[in-house]
Amino acid sequence: MRIDRLHVRNFKGFEDRTFDFPRSVDAPADENGSFHVIIGQNGRGKTSALDALAVAAGSWFLGVRGQDTRHIHPDDVRVRVLEFGDTQRIEQQLPVEVMATGRVNGKPFRWKRERVFIGKKTNWVHAKNIKAEAERTVERMQRGEEVTLPLISYYGTGRLWLEPKDMRANEMPEPLKGGRAPQEVSPDETGEELAESFASRLAGYRFSIDPRCSPRDLLRWLRFEQQLAIQERRESNQFRVVKQAIQEAVEGCKRIEYHLRLGLLLDIEGQPKLPFGSLSDGQRNIIAMVGDIAFKAAQLNPHLGADVLRRTPGIVLIDELDLHLHPRWQRHVVDDLRRLFPQLQFITTTHSPFIVQTAREGELIPLDAEPVPRTGNLGVEEIARGLMGVERPEVSPRYQAMVAVAKDYLTTLDEAAKAPAEKLEDYVEKLAADVAPYADNPAFQAFLELKREAKIGERLQALAEEVQPDGGGEG
């Protein structure tokens, strides 16, 4: 499954907008997935675009019994503020439409979800085709056919901390100190309960379209697989490939294991062996996201064996891919995801020029500017300045402010050198006020004050000479 084009109307901030997601011209022949990066200033609609994609991709779940789809919510409806003299009114703009064009199970598809009336739910009258395709696929799977199910997953900015509603209600423990909730599974959950939870392949669709993703289900799955490995005295292909994916995605990771008492343990170069909950936010973010994608692929398509990650198709949405990641990690996270999951269509947002730099031709979607064919040959400063609207990214905003103050200071000094005597004190006060905010930089202050003393000193000397008697009177 993939989406090649998305058209939205009256969805959140978009009145009428079309997004294209073609495969990169640089993509290898055996890589059917793609990677698109949406960029733009805050408030331009990056997350809104992902939400609309979630509505489109979530239409698959209309035909998967027991799984939640993503409806068009009341707060997805675009609104306009209308003014009538001194009175304002807010009016909802209807209908709201989310239309997708792409491929499902290798066949071309076009479908639409819409909300026509304020009090009505999202209808799927124009999504019957994808609903029927999902129903046929699930029926074949339940008959024992080795059909390949598409993976669909959405990771919002609240990943790691925000629990999906059902998971939070049933399993959420009390928060730890600092408001952080523990992410390990309950030791009281029995092997039978875990086995029942992951008995069906469709368990890989649980919480898929909810952006409030948590690593809890991944950790439960790892515990289940470790119990099976102990009982059967061997690890399944799925268990091995998921652990391998996590290890390859974490910088410096030499070994990963799941301990029934201690949980997920990672041996990372330069660090002591640590459990998942003691790792940095950046490390846990990558582990949770890559591990969640990998375990869902393994759960959905066990018939693919050791090739499950390489051969599973589907759509993955990630808001702020750079979340918690060091710039060095940002520079290769896109290529890591491509390599681990070459058949998946990734659509992400970011504020990082390092991630933008790794996009291939045609993969960058700027909301504030015209599309740029290639970014790999652009420097980070060029990307920040030209695509992200950052003035002088090579220096800090404070440095820029100091330069501006220095220029204004010197201009004011030139004016003071020509000012009449009665205005000179005003100029001195203004110069002192201009330099006052930079008391933490004595060198900067001293330089400007020396300039002031020289200029003002010259002016005072000139004024003194103007009033001094010429000494030419009679003796």
Side-chain angles (χ1 to χ4, degrees), residues 2-8 17-23 34-38 53 99 101 345-347 362-367 371:
R2 66 170 290 114
I3 294 174
D4 296 316
R5 171 169 287 188
L6 179 79
H7 179 79
V8 296
R17 183 76 185 247
T18 298
F19 299 91
D20 289 309
F21 305 101
R23 289 184 67 245
S34 60
F35 212 110
H36 284 87
V37 181
I38 303 173
L53 284 160
M99 181 183 298
T101 304
Q345 179 184 25
F346 287 92
I347 303 175
E363 292 184 339
L364 187 67
I365 303 176
L367 297 182

PDB file of all heavy atoms in Angstrom, residues 2-8 17-23 34-38 53 99 101 345-347 362-367 371:
ATOM      1  N   ARG A   2       0.498   2.219  -0.826  1.00  0.00           N
ATOM      2  CA  ARG A   2       1.190   3.502  -0.818  1.00  0.00           C
ATOM      3  C   ARG A   2       0.225   4.579  -1.319  1.00  0.00           C
ATOM      4  O   ARG A   2      -0.761   4.291  -2.011  1.00  0.00           O
ATOM      5  CB  ARG A   2       2.465   3.491  -1.644  1.00  0.00           C
ATOM      6  CG  ARG A   2       2.291   3.307  -3.138  1.00  0.00           C
ATOM      7  CD  ARG A   2       3.596   3.545  -3.892  1.00  0.00           C
ATOM      8  NE  ARG A   2       3.978   4.942  -3.886  1.00  0.00           N
ATOM      9  CZ  ARG A   2       5.063   5.410  -3.267  1.00  0.00           C
ATOM     10  NH1 ARG A   2       5.857   4.591  -2.606  1.00  0.00           N
ATOM     11  NH2 ARG A   2       5.352   6.701  -3.297  1.00  0.00           N
ATOM     12  N   ILE A   3       0.509   5.816  -0.963  1.00  0.00           N
ATOM     13  CA  ILE A   3      -0.263   6.969  -1.412  1.00  0.00           C
ATOM     14  C   ILE A   3       0.635   7.805  -2.315  1.00  0.00           C
ATOM     15  O   ILE A   3       1.697   8.273  -1.889  1.00  0.00           O
ATOM     16  CB  ILE A   3      -0.772   7.797  -0.219  1.00  0.00           C
ATOM     17  CG1 ILE A   3      -1.784   6.989   0.594  1.00  0.00           C
ATOM     18  CG2 ILE A   3      -1.404   9.109  -0.693  1.00  0.00           C
ATOM     19  CD1 ILE A   3      -2.235   7.674   1.880  1.00  0.00           C
ATOM     20  N   ASP A   4       0.213   7.989  -3.558  1.00  0.00           N
ATOM     21  CA  ASP A   4       0.988   8.788  -4.510  1.00  0.00           C
ATOM     22  C   ASP A   4       0.542  10.246  -4.538  1.00  0.00           C
ATOM     23  O   ASP A   4       1.333  11.134  -4.842  1.00  0.00           O
ATOM     24  CB  ASP A   4       0.867   8.198  -5.919  1.00  0.00           C
ATOM     25  CG  ASP A   4       1.470   6.808  -6.014  1.00  0.00           C
ATOM     26  OD1 ASP A   4       2.573   6.618  -5.475  1.00  0.00           O
ATOM     27  OD2 ASP A   4       0.836   5.924  -6.605  1.00  0.00           O
ATOM     28  N   ARG A   5      -0.731  10.472  -4.245  1.00  0.00           N
ATOM     29  CA  ARG A   5      -1.253  11.845  -4.253  1.00  0.00           C
ATOM     30  C   ARG A   5      -2.329  11.980  -3.184  1.00  0.00           C
ATOM     31  O   ARG A   5      -3.154  11.087  -2.997  1.00  0.00           O
ATOM     32  CB  ARG A   5      -1.813  12.208  -5.618  1.00  0.00           C
ATOM     33  CG  ARG A   5      -2.572  13.534  -5.645  1.00  0.00           C
ATOM     34  CD  ARG A   5      -2.882  13.997  -7.048  1.00  0.00           C
ATOM     35  NE  ARG A   5      -1.674  14.480  -7.708  1.00  0.00           N
ATOM     36  CZ  ARG A   5      -1.670  15.083  -8.896  1.00  0.00           C
ATOM     37  NH1 ARG A   5      -2.802  15.243  -9.563  1.00  0.00           N
ATOM     38  NH2 ARG A   5      -0.543  15.506  -9.426  1.00  0.00           N
ATOM     39  N   LEU A   6      -2.307  13.109  -2.493  1.00  0.00           N
ATOM     40  CA  LEU A   6      -3.311  13.414  -1.473  1.00  0.00           C
ATOM     41  C   LEU A   6      -3.912  14.776  -1.791  1.00  0.00           C
ATOM     42  O   LEU A   6      -3.179  15.757  -1.989  1.00  0.00           O
ATOM     43  CB  LEU A   6      -2.681  13.429  -0.081  1.00  0.00           C
ATOM     44  CG  LEU A   6      -3.638  13.757   1.070  1.00  0.00           C
ATOM     45  CD1 LEU A   6      -4.471  12.525   1.422  1.00  0.00           C
ATOM     46  CD2 LEU A   6      -2.880  14.254   2.293  1.00  0.00           C
ATOM     47  N   HIS A   7      -5.236  14.826  -1.843  1.00  0.00           N
ATOM     48  CA  HIS A   7      -5.924  16.104  -2.052  1.00  0.00           C
ATOM     49  C   HIS A   7      -6.838  16.359  -0.859  1.00  0.00           C
ATOM     50  O   HIS A   7      -7.635  15.491  -0.476  1.00  0.00           O
ATOM     51  CB  HIS A   7      -6.761  16.079  -3.332  1.00  0.00           C
ATOM     52  CG  HIS A   7      -7.505  17.360  -3.569  1.00  0.00           C
ATOM     53  ND1 HIS A   7      -6.901  18.481  -4.084  1.00  0.00           N
ATOM     54  CD2 HIS A   7      -8.800  17.703  -3.329  1.00  0.00           C
ATOM     55  CE1 HIS A   7      -7.788  19.461  -4.169  1.00  0.00           C
ATOM     56  NE2 HIS A   7      -8.952  19.015  -3.714  1.00  0.00           N
ATOM     57  N   VAL A   8      -6.701  17.525  -0.242  1.00  0.00           N
ATOM     58  CA  VAL A   8      -7.535  17.861   0.914  1.00  0.00           C
ATOM     59  C   VAL A   8      -8.290  19.151   0.640  1.00  0.00           C
ATOM     60  O   VAL A   8      -7.798  20.052  -0.048  1.00  0.00           O
ATOM     61  CB  VAL A   8      -6.695  18.000   2.205  1.00  0.00           C
ATOM     62  CG1 VAL A   8      -6.064  16.686   2.584  1.00  0.00           C
ATOM     63  CG2 VAL A   8      -5.635  19.080   2.065  1.00  0.00           C
ATOM     64  N   ARG A  17      -5.700  21.871  -1.142  1.00  0.00           N
ATOM     65  CA  ARG A  17      -4.258  21.612  -1.296  1.00  0.00           C
ATOM     66  C   ARG A  17      -4.032  20.194  -1.802  1.00  0.00           C
ATOM     67  O   ARG A  17      -4.719  19.253  -1.394  1.00  0.00           O
ATOM     68  CB  ARG A  17      -3.542  21.796   0.043  1.00  0.00           C
ATOM     69  CG  ARG A  17      -2.022  21.632   0.025  1.00  0.00           C
ATOM     70  CD  ARG A  17      -1.344  22.833  -0.566  1.00  0.00           C
ATOM     71  NE  ARG A  17       0.094  22.646  -0.703  1.00  0.00           N
ATOM     72  CZ  ARG A  17       1.022  23.333  -0.010  1.00  0.00           C
ATOM     73  NH1 ARG A  17       0.646  24.241   0.855  1.00  0.00           N
ATOM     74  NH2 ARG A  17       2.296  23.123  -0.211  1.00  0.00           N
ATOM     75  N   THR A  18      -3.058  20.056  -2.696  1.00  0.00           N
ATOM     76  CA  THR A  18      -2.686  18.742  -3.223  1.00  0.00           C
ATOM     77  C   THR A  18      -1.222  18.472  -2.903  1.00  0.00           C
ATOM     78  O   THR A  18      -0.370  19.352  -3.063  1.00  0.00           O
ATOM     79  CB  THR A  18      -2.900  18.680  -4.749  1.00  0.00           C
ATOM     80  OG1 THR A  18      -4.293  18.874  -5.031  1.00  0.00           O
ATOM     81  CG2 THR A  18      -2.467  17.331  -5.304  1.00  0.00           C
ATOM     82  N   PHE A  19      -0.938  17.265  -2.451  1.00  0.00           N
ATOM     83  CA  PHE A  19       0.428  16.827  -2.156  1.00  0.00           C
ATOM     84  C   PHE A  19       0.750  15.614  -3.035  1.00  0.00           C
ATOM     85  O   PHE A  19      -0.056  14.685  -3.127  1.00  0.00           O
ATOM     86  CB  PHE A  19       0.579  16.419  -0.685  1.00  0.00           C
ATOM     87  CG  PHE A  19       0.293  17.522   0.296  1.00  0.00           C
ATOM     88  CD1 PHE A  19      -0.991  17.704   0.798  1.00  0.00           C
ATOM     89  CD2 PHE A  19       1.296  18.369   0.723  1.00  0.00           C
ATOM     90  CE1 PHE A  19      -1.266  18.709   1.707  1.00  0.00           C
ATOM     91  CE2 PHE A  19       1.034  19.388   1.638  1.00  0.00           C
ATOM     92  CZ  PHE A  19      -0.257  19.552   2.130  1.00  0.00           C
ATOM     93  N   ASP A  20       1.916  15.624  -3.640  1.00  0.00           N
ATOM     94  CA  ASP A  20       2.368  14.485  -4.436  1.00  0.00           C
ATOM     95  C   ASP A  20       3.529  13.797  -3.733  1.00  0.00           C
ATOM     96  O   ASP A  20       4.431  14.458  -3.199  1.00  0.00           O
ATOM     97  CB  ASP A  20       2.810  14.941  -5.828  1.00  0.00           C
ATOM     98  CG  ASP A  20       1.633  15.357  -6.697  1.00  0.00           C
ATOM     99  OD1 ASP A  20       0.682  14.560  -6.799  1.00  0.00           O
ATOM    100  OD2 ASP A  20       1.661  16.471  -7.253  1.00  0.00           O
ATOM    101  N   PHE A  21       3.519  12.454  -3.766  1.00  0.00           N
ATOM    102  CA  PHE A  21       4.547  11.654  -3.099  1.00  0.00           C
ATOM    103  C   PHE A  21       5.116  10.621  -4.083  1.00  0.00           C
ATOM    104  O   PHE A  21       4.930   9.411  -3.898  1.00  0.00           O
ATOM    105  CB  PHE A  21       3.960  10.948  -1.877  1.00  0.00           C
ATOM    106  CG  PHE A  21       3.295  11.881  -0.906  1.00  0.00           C
ATOM    107  CD1 PHE A  21       1.905  12.007  -0.886  1.00  0.00           C
ATOM    108  CD2 PHE A  21       4.040  12.649  -0.026  1.00  0.00           C
ATOM    109  CE1 PHE A  21       1.279  12.866   0.000  1.00  0.00           C
ATOM    110  CE2 PHE A  21       3.420  13.516   0.857  1.00  0.00           C
ATOM    111  CZ  PHE A  21       2.039  13.628   0.872  1.00  0.00           C
ATOM    112  N   PRO A  22       5.829  11.069  -5.096  1.00  0.00           N
ATOM    113  CA  PRO A  22       6.390  10.114  -6.060  1.00  0.00           C
ATOM    114  C   PRO A  22       7.618   9.412  -5.505  1.00  0.00           C
ATOM    115  O   PRO A  22       8.272   9.909  -4.579  1.00  0.00           O
ATOM    116  CB  PRO A  22       6.768  11.007  -7.240  1.00  0.00           C
ATOM    117  CG  PRO A  22       7.118  12.319  -6.600  1.00  0.00           C
ATOM    118  CD  PRO A  22       6.166  12.458  -5.434  1.00  0.00           C
ATOM    119  N   ARG A  23       7.924   8.251  -6.068  1.00  0.00           N
ATOM    120  CA  ARG A  23       9.182   7.592  -5.716  1.00  0.00           C
ATOM    121  C   ARG A  23      10.344   8.418  -6.244  1.00  0.00           C
ATOM    122  O   ARG A  23      10.254   9.022  -7.311  1.00  0.00           O
ATOM    123  CB  ARG A  23       9.243   6.180  -6.301  1.00  0.00           C
ATOM    124  CG  ARG A  23       8.309   5.199  -5.645  1.00  0.00           C
ATOM    125  CD  ARG A  23       8.489   3.795  -6.203  1.00  0.00           C
ATOM    126  NE  ARG A  23       9.780   3.242  -5.858  1.00  0.00           N
ATOM    127  CZ  ARG A  23      10.734   2.946  -6.743  1.00  0.00           C
ATOM    128  NH1 ARG A  23      10.536   3.148  -8.014  1.00  0.00           N
ATOM    129  NH2 ARG A  23      11.875   2.435  -6.347  1.00  0.00           N
ATOM    130  N   SER A  34       9.503   4.722  -0.349  1.00  0.00           N
ATOM    131  CA  SER A  34       9.965   6.082  -0.625  1.00  0.00           C
ATOM    132  C   SER A  34      10.060   6.837   0.688  1.00  0.00           C
ATOM    133  O   SER A  34       9.610   6.357   1.731  1.00  0.00           O
ATOM    134  CB  SER A  34       9.018   6.807  -1.592  1.00  0.00           C
ATOM    135  OG  SER A  34       7.721   6.905  -1.050  1.00  0.00           O
ATOM    136  N   PHE A  35      10.649   8.016   0.615  1.00  0.00           N
ATOM    137  CA  PHE A  35      10.835   8.824   1.823  1.00  0.00           C
ATOM    138  C   PHE A  35      10.559  10.276   1.457  1.00  0.00           C
ATOM    139  O   PHE A  35      11.233  10.831   0.593  1.00  0.00           O
ATOM    140  CB  PHE A  35      12.260   8.671   2.361  1.00  0.00           C
ATOM    141  CG  PHE A  35      12.360   8.786   3.844  1.00  0.00           C
ATOM    142  CD1 PHE A  35      12.651   7.673   4.617  1.00  0.00           C
ATOM    143  CD2 PHE A  35      12.137   9.994   4.487  1.00  0.00           C
ATOM    144  CE1 PHE A  35      12.733   7.764   5.997  1.00  0.00           C
ATOM    145  CE2 PHE A  35      12.202  10.096   5.861  1.00  0.00           C
ATOM    146  CZ  PHE A  35      12.505   8.977   6.625  1.00  0.00           C
ATOM    147  N   HIS A  36       9.563  10.869   2.094  1.00  0.00           N
ATOM    148  CA  HIS A  36       9.270  12.268   1.838  1.00  0.00           C
ATOM    149  C   HIS A  36       9.355  13.065   3.135  1.00  0.00           C
ATOM    150  O   HIS A  36       8.965  12.592   4.195  1.00  0.00           O
ATOM    151  CB  HIS A  36       7.884  12.432   1.206  1.00  0.00           C
ATOM    152  CG  HIS A  36       7.864  12.066  -0.237  1.00  0.00           C
ATOM    153  ND1 HIS A  36       7.652  10.776  -0.675  1.00  0.00           N
ATOM    154  CD2 HIS A  36       8.069  12.813  -1.357  1.00  0.00           C
ATOM    155  CE1 HIS A  36       7.719  10.746  -1.993  1.00  0.00           C
ATOM    156  NE2 HIS A  36       7.973  11.957  -2.430  1.00  0.00           N
ATOM    157  N   VAL A  37       9.890  14.272   3.010  1.00  0.00           N
ATOM    158  CA  VAL A  37      10.121  15.142   4.159  1.00  0.00           C
ATOM    159  C   VAL A  37       9.362  16.449   3.935  1.00  0.00           C
ATOM    160  O   VAL A  37       9.622  17.172   2.971  1.00  0.00           O
ATOM    161  CB  VAL A  37      11.620  15.426   4.339  1.00  0.00           C
ATOM    162  CG1 VAL A  37      11.844  16.323   5.558  1.00  0.00           C
ATOM    163  CG2 VAL A  37      12.407  14.133   4.485  1.00  0.00           C
ATOM    164  N   ILE A  38       8.419  16.735   4.813  1.00  0.00           N
ATOM    165  CA  ILE A  38       7.644  17.972   4.749  1.00  0.00           C
ATOM    166  C   ILE A  38       8.269  18.996   5.685  1.00  0.00           C
ATOM    167  O   ILE A  38       8.514  18.710   6.850  1.00  0.00           O
ATOM    168  CB  ILE A  38       6.175  17.727   5.159  1.00  0.00           C
ATOM    169  CG1 ILE A  38       5.542  16.653   4.260  1.00  0.00           C
ATOM    170  CG2 ILE A  38       5.367  19.019   5.074  1.00  0.00           C
ATOM    171  CD1 ILE A  38       4.145  16.232   4.705  1.00  0.00           C
ATOM    172  N   LEU A  53      -3.166  12.462   5.979  1.00  0.00           N
ATOM    173  CA  LEU A  53      -2.633  11.188   5.483  1.00  0.00           C
ATOM    174  C   LEU A  53      -3.092  10.029   6.368  1.00  0.00           C
ATOM    175  O   LEU A  53      -3.350   8.924   5.882  1.00  0.00           O
ATOM    176  CB  LEU A  53      -1.107  11.236   5.428  1.00  0.00           C
ATOM    177  CG  LEU A  53      -0.518  12.045   4.261  1.00  0.00           C
ATOM    178  CD1 LEU A  53       0.920  12.444   4.555  1.00  0.00           C
ATOM    179  CD2 LEU A  53      -0.594  11.242   2.963  1.00  0.00           C
ATOM    180  N   MET A  99      -8.945  13.029  -0.112  1.00  0.00           N
ATOM    181  CA  MET A  99      -8.958  12.109  -1.242  1.00  0.00           C
ATOM    182  C   MET A  99      -7.540  11.611  -1.520  1.00  0.00           C
ATOM    183  O   MET A  99      -6.594  12.401  -1.536  1.00  0.00           O
ATOM    184  CB  MET A  99      -9.505  12.799  -2.493  1.00  0.00           C
ATOM    185  CG  MET A  99      -9.589  11.904  -3.724  1.00  0.00           C
ATOM    186  SD  MET A  99     -10.167  12.818  -5.189  1.00  0.00           S
ATOM    187  CE  MET A  99     -11.794  13.320  -4.633  1.00  0.00           C
ATOM    188  N   THR A 101      -4.928   8.960  -3.904  1.00  0.00           N
ATOM    189  CA  THR A 101      -4.684   8.150  -5.095  1.00  0.00           C
ATOM    190  C   THR A 101      -3.402   7.368  -4.850  1.00  0.00           C
ATOM    191  O   THR A 101      -2.402   7.941  -4.422  1.00  0.00           O
ATOM    192  CB  THR A 101      -4.516   9.026  -6.340  1.00  0.00           C
ATOM    193  OG1 THR A 101      -5.667   9.855  -6.493  1.00  0.00           O
ATOM    194  CG2 THR A 101      -4.346   8.166  -7.587  1.00  0.00           C
ATOM    195  N   GLN A 345       6.712   3.225   2.668  1.00  0.00           N
ATOM    196  CA  GLN A 345       6.612   4.632   2.292  1.00  0.00           C
ATOM    197  C   GLN A 345       6.627   5.458   3.569  1.00  0.00           C
ATOM    198  O   GLN A 345       5.691   5.420   4.363  1.00  0.00           O
ATOM    199  CB  GLN A 345       5.322   4.897   1.508  1.00  0.00           C
ATOM    200  CG  GLN A 345       5.154   6.356   1.112  1.00  0.00           C
ATOM    201  CD  GLN A 345       3.836   6.637   0.412  1.00  0.00           C
ATOM    202  OE1 GLN A 345       2.858   5.916   0.607  1.00  0.00           O
ATOM    203  NE2 GLN A 345       3.791   7.672  -0.413  1.00  0.00           N
ATOM    204  N   PHE A 346       7.707   6.204   3.774  1.00  0.00           N
ATOM    205  CA  PHE A 346       7.829   7.079   4.936  1.00  0.00           C
ATOM    206  C   PHE A 346       7.459   8.501   4.524  1.00  0.00           C
ATOM    207  O   PHE A 346       7.960   9.012   3.514  1.00  0.00           O
ATOM    208  CB  PHE A 346       9.257   7.081   5.481  1.00  0.00           C
ATOM    209  CG  PHE A 346       9.658   5.827   6.203  1.00  0.00           C
ATOM    210  CD1 PHE A 346      10.269   4.790   5.525  1.00  0.00           C
ATOM    211  CD2 PHE A 346       9.422   5.686   7.563  1.00  0.00           C
ATOM    212  CE1 PHE A 346      10.648   3.625   6.184  1.00  0.00           C
ATOM    213  CE2 PHE A 346       9.797   4.533   8.234  1.00  0.00           C
ATOM    214  CZ  PHE A 346      10.411   3.497   7.546  1.00  0.00           C
ATOM    215  N   ILE A 347       6.592   9.135   5.303  1.00  0.00           N
ATOM    216  CA  ILE A 347       6.283  10.551   5.112  1.00  0.00           C
ATOM    217  C   ILE A 347       6.473  11.216   6.468  1.00  0.00           C
ATOM    218  O   ILE A 347       5.820  10.854   7.450  1.00  0.00           O
ATOM    219  CB  ILE A 347       4.854  10.763   4.586  1.00  0.00           C
ATOM    220  CG1 ILE A 347       4.657   9.991   3.277  1.00  0.00           C
ATOM    221  CG2 ILE A 347       4.589  12.255   4.362  1.00  0.00           C
ATOM    222  CD1 ILE A 347       3.246  10.047   2.732  1.00  0.00           C
ATOM    223  N   GLY A 362      13.270  15.065  -5.416  1.00  0.00           N
ATOM    224  CA  GLY A 362      11.819  14.967  -5.428  1.00  0.00           C
ATOM    225  C   GLY A 362      11.199  14.558  -4.107  1.00  0.00           C
ATOM    226  O   GLY A 362       9.970  14.420  -4.022  1.00  0.00           O
ATOM    227  N   GLU A 363      11.996  14.384  -3.061  1.00  0.00           N
ATOM    228  CA  GLU A 363      11.454  13.897  -1.789  1.00  0.00           C
ATOM    229  C   GLU A 363      11.127  15.014  -0.798  1.00  0.00           C
ATOM    230  O   GLU A 363      10.475  14.765   0.211  1.00  0.00           O
ATOM    231  CB  GLU A 363      12.432  12.917  -1.136  1.00  0.00           C
ATOM    232  CG  GLU A 363      12.571  11.615  -1.893  1.00  0.00           C
ATOM    233  CD  GLU A 363      13.463  10.613  -1.183  1.00  0.00           C
ATOM    234  OE1 GLU A 363      14.283  11.031  -0.343  1.00  0.00           O
ATOM    235  OE2 GLU A 363      13.331   9.415  -1.462  1.00  0.00           O
ATOM    236  N   LEU A 364      11.584  16.225  -1.072  1.00  0.00           N
ATOM    237  CA  LEU A 364      11.362  17.334  -0.153  1.00  0.00           C
ATOM    238  C   LEU A 364      10.078  18.077  -0.533  1.00  0.00           C
ATOM    239  O   LEU A 364       9.867  18.415  -1.702  1.00  0.00           O
ATOM    240  CB  LEU A 364      12.549  18.294  -0.175  1.00  0.00           C
ATOM    241  CG  LEU A 364      12.529  19.412   0.865  1.00  0.00           C
ATOM    242  CD1 LEU A 364      12.666  18.840   2.266  1.00  0.00           C
ATOM    243  CD2 LEU A 364      13.635  20.415   0.599  1.00  0.00           C
ATOM    244  N   ILE A 365       9.215  18.336   0.458  1.00  0.00           N
ATOM    245  CA  ILE A 365       7.952  19.046   0.237  1.00  0.00           C
ATOM    246  C   ILE A 365       7.945  20.299   1.117  1.00  0.00           C
ATOM    247  O   ILE A 365       7.572  20.251   2.292  1.00  0.00           O
ATOM    248  CB  ILE A 365       6.739  18.158   0.561  1.00  0.00           C
ATOM    249  CG1 ILE A 365       6.786  16.873  -0.274  1.00  0.00           C
ATOM    250  CG2 ILE A 365       5.436  18.909   0.319  1.00  0.00           C
ATOM    251  CD1 ILE A 365       5.684  15.894   0.058  1.00  0.00           C
ATOM    252  N   PRO A 366       8.391  21.455   0.586  1.00  0.00           N
ATOM    253  CA  PRO A 366       8.361  22.693   1.379  1.00  0.00           C
ATOM    254  C   PRO A 366       6.974  23.322   1.340  1.00  0.00           C
ATOM    255  O   PRO A 366       6.396  23.484   0.271  1.00  0.00           O
ATOM    256  CB  PRO A 366       9.395  23.591   0.680  1.00  0.00           C
ATOM    257  CG  PRO A 366       9.950  22.801  -0.471  1.00  0.00           C
ATOM    258  CD  PRO A 366       9.024  21.663  -0.722  1.00  0.00           C
ATOM    259  N   LEU A 367       6.434  23.674   2.491  1.00  0.00           N
ATOM    260  CA  LEU A 367       5.140  24.337   2.544  1.00  0.00           C
ATOM    261  C   LEU A 367       5.262  25.838   2.359  1.00  0.00           C
ATOM    262  O   LEU A 367       4.264  26.513   2.081  1.00  0.00           O
ATOM    263  CB  LEU A 367       4.452  24.049   3.882  1.00  0.00           C
ATOM    264  CG  LEU A 367       4.114  22.577   4.164  1.00  0.00           C
ATOM    265  CD1 LEU A 367       3.404  22.447   5.498  1.00  0.00           C
ATOM    266  CD2 LEU A 367       3.268  21.975   3.052  1.00  0.00           C
ATOM    267  N   PRO A 371       9.287  23.679  -4.543  1.00  0.00           N
ATOM    268  CA  PRO A 371      10.067  22.443  -4.375  1.00  0.00           C
ATOM    269  C   PRO A 371      11.481  22.591  -4.909  1.00  0.00           C
ATOM    270  O   PRO A 371      11.717  23.303  -5.889  1.00  0.00           O
ATOM    271  CB  PRO A 371       9.269  21.414  -5.186  1.00  0.00           C
ATOM    272  CG  PRO A 371       7.885  21.960  -5.242  1.00  0.00           C
ATOM    273  CD  PRO A 371       8.040  23.454  -5.289  1.00  0.00           C
TER     274      PRO A 371
END
